[in-house]
Amino acid sequence: HLDTREDKILRLFHWTYETIQPQPESLPTIDGHVWDIYIRGYGSRSNFHVLFSTLCNYIGADAFCTRLYARDTSKIRLSFVRIKRGWVVFDPYNGIYFRNYTGDLATIEEISEQDWHIVKLSQTDISKANYEQYIIENLPRIKRFSSRLTTANIQSPINRLRYQLHIWLSGKRPLLE
């Protein structure tokens, strides 16, 4: 039973990981609307994050996904969802999320304080170390990024209107193209 927003977020996370398959190498990349990802049933690494984040926004949970870089210029894409206690982190492509040592979803602040471990939906060699450098090094950027309109949160009509008005008022594009 899905009693809380966190329950719903975790169910969407499980659904995304269990339902969407990695894009076959032989097929072309199609980056259209998130609906296309759902209909096709497969997507790129980025598509997993956009779909999960968009679904979270649909249920009223602020969410976004972004690419984070480490000092060595390697990169990773992660999804962030706001719950009552703060922003929490998901990797729907790899089926990994983060909990603190009391069992709650770990906020980015708890991660920076080393109060976290990873939870895997399936067997994988990915470890906590794979994520640590990206999250810790990018914490200030994550907090700034969370207030922007992104692909995942402009799928709703009101946010799409806000986004279009922002582009028009900033002079980047005409209001109606």
Side-chain angles (χ1 to χ4, degrees):
H1 192 37
L2 303 176
D3 293 327
T4 68
R5 179 169 289 174
E6 286 184 32
D7 291 339
K8 292 174 186 175
I9 292 166
L10 283 168
R11 184 63 199 119
L12 288 173
F13 176 73
H14 281 262
W15 180 88
T16 302
Y17 179 74
E18 293 164 358
T19 305
I20 306 303
Q21 300 301 308
Q23 179 174 322
E25 298 266 338
S26 62
L27 297 176
T29 299
I30 302 171
D31 278 333
H33 190 273
V34 294
W35 183 249
D36 297 331
I37 303 163
Y38 169 72
I39 294 297
R40 287 191 321 261
Y42 69 84
S44 66
R45 180 179 301 267
S46 173
N47 291 156
F48 277 73
H49 290 276
V50 170
L51 178 61
F52 170 67
S53 299
T54 299
L55 292 173
C56 287
N57 278 290
Y58 281 167
I59 66 162
D62 291 337
F64 68 95
C65 57
T66 190
R67 189 175 308 131
L68 301 176
Y69 295 88
R71 284 191 199 124
D72 66 3
T73 69
S74 61
K75 61 189 173 195
I76 191 171
R77 183 170 291 276
L78 294 172
S79 296
F80 298 85
V81 182
R82 188 189 336 244
I83 61 171
K84 287 181 183 175
R85 295 179 18 264
W87 289 97
V88 294
V89 187
F90 295 89
D91 181 353
Y93 183 78
N94 290 305
I96 292 176
Y97 64 102
F98 310 90
R99 290 207 179 265
N100 62 26
Y101 291 118
T102 60
D104 295 320
L105 291 172
T107 65
I108 56 177
E109 288 79 9
E110 290 167 333
I111 291 169
S112 72
E113 295 165 1
Q114 298 301 315
D115 180 12
W116 68 293
H117 63 278
I118 66 173
V119 177
K120 305 173 186 182
L121 297 185
S122 65
Q123 194 63 25
T124 177
D125 292 336
I126 297 173
S127 71
K128 179 178 174 177
N130 291 67
Y131 296 96
E132 198 160 26
Q133 64 179 329
Y134 299 102
I135 296 170
I136 303 300
E137 291 178 18
N138 288 282
L139 191 56
R141 182 172 170 261
I142 294 166
K143 289 179 179 178
R144 278 194 319 274
F145 196 83
S146 65
S147 63
R148 295 186 184 160
L149 290 172
T150 65
T151 303
N153 63 16
I154 62 171
Q155 303 302 319
S156 70
I158 192 68
N159 281 344
R160 176 62 76 168
L161 177 61
R162 285 179 50 218
Y163 175 71
Q164 291 300 126
L165 287 173
H166 169 75
I167 288 176
W168 177 63
L169 291 172
S170 66
K172 293 179 182 175
R173 280 195 247 154
L175 182 60
L176 301 172
E177 294 184 273

